[in-house]
Structures are given as structure tokens and as C-alpha cells.
Amino acid sequence: MILAIDAGNSRTKWGIFDVAGELQTDGVCLNDQFKADDAPLVWRSCNSAVVSNVAGAEMAAKLVAALQHLAIPATWVQSSLHACGVSNSYEQPEQLGTDRWAAIIAVWHLYHAPCLVINAGTALTIDALALDAENKSGIFLGGMIVPGFRLMQDSLYQRTAGIGEYPGNLQIFPRNTGDAVYSGAVSAMAGAVKLMLKNLQHHASAQQQALPRCIITGGDAELLAQVLNDDTGFAFDPSHGQIIIADNLVLQGLLLLEREAS
């Protein structure tokens, strides 16, 4: 059994894969509640671990202690220039977040096609995956990092004197502060996605390649997909399956990276 760990900005997700690469069980916990001496008991069934950590040194130390306590050898993923059939166009490839790199790897493995890889979590990342000229490998062209849904709301609550925390809903013309903040945050996310999608569409069209899919993962994936699907100006008909919610992309990518390294 292989344990894959995705330590994100706020939460740590984990999954256990069998030798066939099938996810057997998974879980999630808040980073500030994770204790090195209280890791899930099911981790003891694992022979090795592969880890992506973008949560900083403190979380890394807790994970190291937990895995050492359970005597589980671990591979800590680093982003690279090439891996698993994908080239990384970042100016300094190692600076790309390992969670983004793993998700891109997973999407390439699943689709082998142009895709927008979107992770709607604490931060919203929007990454463009294209094909090379011979359609044989993937190219990560680059991507955006935008404050996520709750981070946008929290920044307004904390940095403005006249905006309090009010419940809100998505409205075309918001008429109260709660709806205005909620609708603004969701619309900003959708607008960033559509701008990057437009850019990737132009790239794919110039290369005479298929139009890209939108693959969305993360805690706010359903919210973002709903907004994009409800937007009649969106470029794709969602009934054709072009907007796809995918669970555990980072964990799947970590498994692929671990297998290539072993």
C-alpha cells in the first residue's frame, strides 16, 4: 500500500492506494489540528509514502515526525523540468507548487489533451496544459494564482471598516452587502477562469488541436462549476462534459510521480 499526502494551505488530504493504483481509503484534516503522534491508524498498513507539502516548515516537521514514528519511508515531491510525460515551462521549474504539478500530471494521465487544470481551494490556481507539436506529450504553459473564495471574503472582512460578515448568495444584481461580497468573490473566480480559458483556446486553435476541457478539483470545485455552468456566456456547453469535477487529482498525481521515481 502507498500513502499519498497532500498538505495544502489549510488542510491535509491523504489517500491510500493499492498496488493496482486504486484508491482504497482517504481522509482530510485541518493542518492546525494534525498531531504527529495521532496520525490515522490506517496509515500503518502502508509500505511507503509520497508527500506534497505547500503548507510550510511547521507542517513538514509534523509529517516527518508522524511518518518516522510509523516507520514509513517517504518520498517528498519536488517540481521538475520534466515528469510523467509533461514538460514544465515555469522559468524556475522547482518553484512551481508541488500540488499544482501533481494535479497537472494527473490530468495529463487522464486525458492526454489540452486542459485547464483548476484547483479551487484556499487559493484558486488555474493552470494551462497543452499538447506539444506532435501531440505526444503535455506542456504546462503557465498559470494563475488567485485568492480563493473564502480568502477573498476574509480579506474584505478584515481590511475594510464598513463591511461586516453577512450571509450571502449569488445574485445578478446584489442588493445587500452579504450578497455583494459573495457574488463578487464567485464572479472574480469565474472571470479568472474564463480569461485563462480564452488564452488556452487561442493556443489550441493555433496548433489545430481540440478545444480544452476545464478540470476542477478542490473544496470549492462544485461552487465554481455551478457558476460556470449557469453562465450562458460560457464558451462550452456543459452537457458535453467539458466542465469536469475531479476528486483527488493531487493524490493521483503524487502516485504517478512516485511510481516514475521508483
Side-chain angles (χ1 to χ4, degrees):
M1 294 288 194
I2 299 174
L3 171 64
I5 301 175
D6 168 25
N9 293 298
S10 304
R11 306 186 306 163
T12 292
K13 292 193 67 176
W14 57 269
I16 295 177
F17 293 88
D18 63 18
V19 292
E22 297 294 330
L23 183 65
Q24 298 301 303
T25 186
D26 61 351
V28 62
C29 68
L30 294 174
N31 290 351
D32 58 8
Q33 295 180 1
F34 183 87
K35 297 180 180 179
D37 58 355
D38 193 28
L41 292 177
V42 70
W43 287 15
R44 297 178 183 273
S45 65
C46 298
N47 303 314
S48 62
V50 56
V51 185
S52 163
N53 174 48
V54 299
E58 182 178 352
M59 190 63 200
K62 290 195 288 186
L63 289 170
V64 167
L67 294 171
Q68 288 181 344
H69 177 71
L70 297 173
I72 301 175
T75 299
W76 293 75
V77 167
Q78 297 293 326
S79 298
S80 59
L81 186 59
H82 303 282
C84 300
V86 180
S87 298
N88 183 349
S89 298
Y90 238 42
E91 293 177 354
Q92 297 183 51
E94 68 279 1
Q95 288 189 354
L96 176 66
T98 52
D99 53 346
R100 294 170 66 191
W101 186 227
I104 292 164
I105 294 293
V107 168
W108 171 250
H109 178 76
L110 290 169
Y111 297 102
H112 290 87
C115 292
L116 208 59
V117 185
I118 304 161
N119 194 331
T122 302
L124 173 69
T125 59
I126 311 166
D127 293 321
L129 174 64
L131 298 177
D132 69 3
E134 297 180 352
N135 295 344
K136 293 182 179 179
S137 61
I139 304 173
F140 165 57
L141 298 176
M144 295 180 182
I145 304 175
V146 180
F149 177 63
R150 288 164 184 79
L151 199 56
M152 278 194 250
Q153 290 180 306
D154 289 345
S155 67
L156 287 172
Y157 298 150
Q158 295 170 11
R159 300 299 295 271
T160 56
I163 297 179
E165 294 190 39
Y166 301 102
N169 295 288
L170 181 64
Q171 302 290 342
I172 296 175
F173 298 111
R175 291 178 291 188
N176 62 66
T177 301
D179 289 349
V181 172
Y182 187 103
S183 301
V186 175
S187 298
M189 292 168 62
V193 168
K194 288 192 284 183
L195 178 59
M196 182 62 82
L197 178 61
K198 181 180 179 180
N199 294 337
L200 186 55
Q201 285 175 326
H202 286 322
H203 183 277
S205 178
Q207 300 294 322
Q208 297 184 331
Q209 296 170 352
L211 290 177
R213 300 173 173 88
C214 283
I215 315 299
I216 311 177
T217 193
D220 289 320
E222 291 188 6
L223 171 63
L224 180 57
Q226 177 185 354
V227 175
L228 294 172
N229 282 335
D230 288 346
D231 184 351
T232 56
F234 193 64
F236 290 140
D237 179 354
S239 66
H240 294 166
Q242 300 288 359
I243 301 173
I244 301 167
I245 296 177
D247 294 329
N248 300 317
L249 279 182
V250 176
L251 299 181
Q252 293 176 43
L254 290 175
L255 179 67
L256 293 167
L257 287 164
E258 194 276 340
R259 286 183 164 177
E260 181 176 77
S262 62

